[in-house]
Amino acid sequence: MSRPDRARGATIVDVAQLAGVSRMTVSRVIHDRAKVREETRMAVLAAIRELNYEPNLAARNLVMAGELRIGVIYSNPSAAFMSDFLIGVFEEATSAGARLILVRGEDGQAPAPRDLERLLSQGVHGVVLAPPLGESAVVRDMLRAANLPLAVVAAGRPASDAINVRIDDRQASQAMAQHLLDLGHRRIGFISGNPNQTASVVRLEGARAAIAAVEGAELVLAQGAFTYGSGLRAAEQLLDRDPPPTAIFASNDDMAAAAVSVAHRRHLDVPRDLTVVGFDDTTVATTLWPPLTTVRQPVRQMAAVALDRLMRVLRSTEPSAEASADYVLDHALIERESTAPPRHAAQVPGAKAHKRSSHA
């Protein structure tokens, strides 16, 4: 390993790396708060001596008082999603007495390495990753090298070395596509999300599974990137098809809102001429006309659960299976005014009568 800059001195992260243990294990040895295997304790003490590490007294007092420093790394192009996510972690941190240190990337990209290094230098105990950074190799490799416990929110599939808090994206997407089929739609446009995110792939898998089970049904694809702008382009492509789809299923609410905007620009009534549905149930879903039928992903709850489970692991005195547990929260299909049967629904075999939900 590279030695720390003498100007800044060694940090607890440097000690953990040299000893080959987690930052919390180093803390336990320093404060003698929990039983640590003798060979581990000796390795940590040897690393402390070699690096001439001097524990920060203020930091020591914080740990002894029970405060945890949690890094929150985020970079999501959906402002509505990130608003819900941050509210969730802030509310949980306030109630649990944790200190949050935020690091932001731009437009779904990982933060600069210097920003991640600055976060590690502040002695964080663990990190919560907002999508899509739970799947960023750059971020994961740096945090793994620092031996930091991780909680990943809203990844399409669980990671084997982190706490995972998510919904079943495939099942949720399949249920939404089935809802459109039940209304009588047989040519359904699908706006996929960023192809580099597993959730995009899994949501497409779910929609395809529902479509494949119905004879004569067709899924028409357009590539999006979970942004409003990409939704505009994808909706234009779908509505330029001959014939156009009678319904558009967008992989998030931002892109669904864009599809509604394109429909209005083309003088199409939603839902009489075109049904549009989304995914997430962010504030966007209820701030446009008509309000969106969408999949409710409990983003605030997911963020709060991720922080809570991460703090449980950090405060545990023994290794815990919770450090790589998979928590799958409930989703719901919320029906609003953006859905209706296509005009020819009465002629479609198996189409169900339309009944609007009372969900708001």
Side-chain angles (χ1 to χ4, degrees):
M1 101 173 221
S2 60
R3 291 296 184 264
D5 185 336
R6 291 181 180 275
R8 71 170 174 85
T11 69
I12 197 168
V13 174
D14 298 321
V15 174
Q17 289 179 334
L18 183 59
V21 298
S22 72
R23 184 246 180 269
M24 281 303 293
T25 298
V26 175
S27 178
R28 288 167 184 155
V29 171
I30 292 171
H31 305 305
D32 196 26
R33 296 182 64 199
K35 293 181 66 176
V36 177
R37 289 189 306 171
E38 184 61 20
E39 58 267 36
T40 301
R41 190 176 72 85
M42 295 303 295
V44 170
L45 293 176
I48 289 173
R49 288 193 298 271
E50 181 173 345
L51 296 174
N52 196 28
Y53 171 66
E54 296 181 2
N56 181 282
L57 293 179
R60 176 186 176 120
N61 290 338
L62 287 174
V63 172
M64 295 299 286
E67 181 180 76
L68 292 175
R69 290 191 182 94
I70 306 296
V72 179
I73 308 177
Y74 66 101
S75 177
N76 194 292
S78 171
F81 183 98
M82 283 315 308
S83 175
D84 284 348
F85 174 87
L86 291 173
I87 288 172
V89 291
F90 276 124
E91 289 178 344
E92 183 63 28
T94 299
S95 64
R99 177 184 174 190
L100 300 182
I101 302 173
L102 306 183
V103 178
R104 179 186 177 187
E106 296 294 335
D107 298 325
Q109 301 301 309
R114 65 178 180 276
D115 293 329
L116 295 175
E117 291 170 359
R118 190 177 301 117
L119 172 69
L120 297 179
S121 72
Q122 295 182 64
V124 294
H125 300 84
V127 172
V128 177
L129 294 176
L133 296 181
E135 300 177 59
S136 167
V138 172
V139 174
R140 295 291 297 271
D141 288 349
M142 183 171 287
L143 298 178
R144 190 180 296 112
N147 294 302
L148 285 174
L150 305 178
V152 174
V153 176
R157 293 190 176 95
S160 61
D161 60 347
I163 298 164
N164 299 275
V165 184
R166 61 191 181 92
I167 65 169
D168 188 329
D169 286 272
R170 189 183 193 279
Q171 185 183 81
S173 181
Q174 185 169 350
M176 179 59 83
Q178 185 61 54
H179 175 63
L180 296 176
L181 292 166
D182 289 345
L183 287 173
H185 294 281
R186 292 296 180 266
R187 186 168 169 83
I188 299 171
F190 186 87
I191 304 178
S192 57
N194 191 318
N196 294 327
Q197 291 181 234
T198 305
S200 302
V201 177
V202 175
R203 290 175 192 179
L204 177 56
E205 289 175 354
R208 278 179 165 157
I211 298 298
V214 176
E215 185 177 356
E218 181 182 9
L219 198 65
V220 185
L221 302 181
Q223 184 64 58
F226 287 132
T227 63
Y228 185 85
S230 71
L232 291 174
R233 294 186 290 273
E236 294 280 11
Q237 292 170 15
L238 289 173
L239 294 177
D240 281 342
R241 298 289 292 266
D242 186 16
T246 61
I248 291 179
F249 178 6
S251 294
N252 77 344
D253 291 341
D254 286 14
M255 296 191 298
V260 172
S261 178
V262 170
H264 289 166
R265 192 163 61 208
R266 292 180 176 228
H267 306 291
L268 298 174
D269 181 82
V270 177
R272 187 170 61 90
D273 299 318
L274 178 70
T275 276
V276 179
V277 299
F279 200 109
D280 285 338
D281 198 28
T282 58
T283 53
V284 169
T286 54
T287 54
L288 79 162
W289 182 259
L292 282 173
T293 292
T294 188
V295 171
R296 175 172 291 165
Q297 179 172 214
V299 177
R300 290 189 190 184
Q301 182 186 1
M302 292 162 69
V305 168
L307 182 56
D308 172 70
R309 297 302 186 270
L310 179 61
M311 290 190 294
R312 289 190 190 188
V313 168
L314 292 171
R315 286 176 172 151
S316 174
T317 59
E318 300 292 338
S320 170
E322 285 190 337
S324 58
D326 185 27
Y327 300 95
V328 182
L329 305 190
D330 291 337
H331 62 269
L333 195 157
I334 307 300
E335 188 180 357
R336 299 191 179 98
E337 284 81 2
S338 68
T339 50
R343 292 184 177 184
H344 62 281
Q347 303 170 9
V348 177
K352 296 180 181 179
H354 180 55
K355 293 182 179 179
R356 178 153 285 125
S357 163
S358 61
H359 288 294

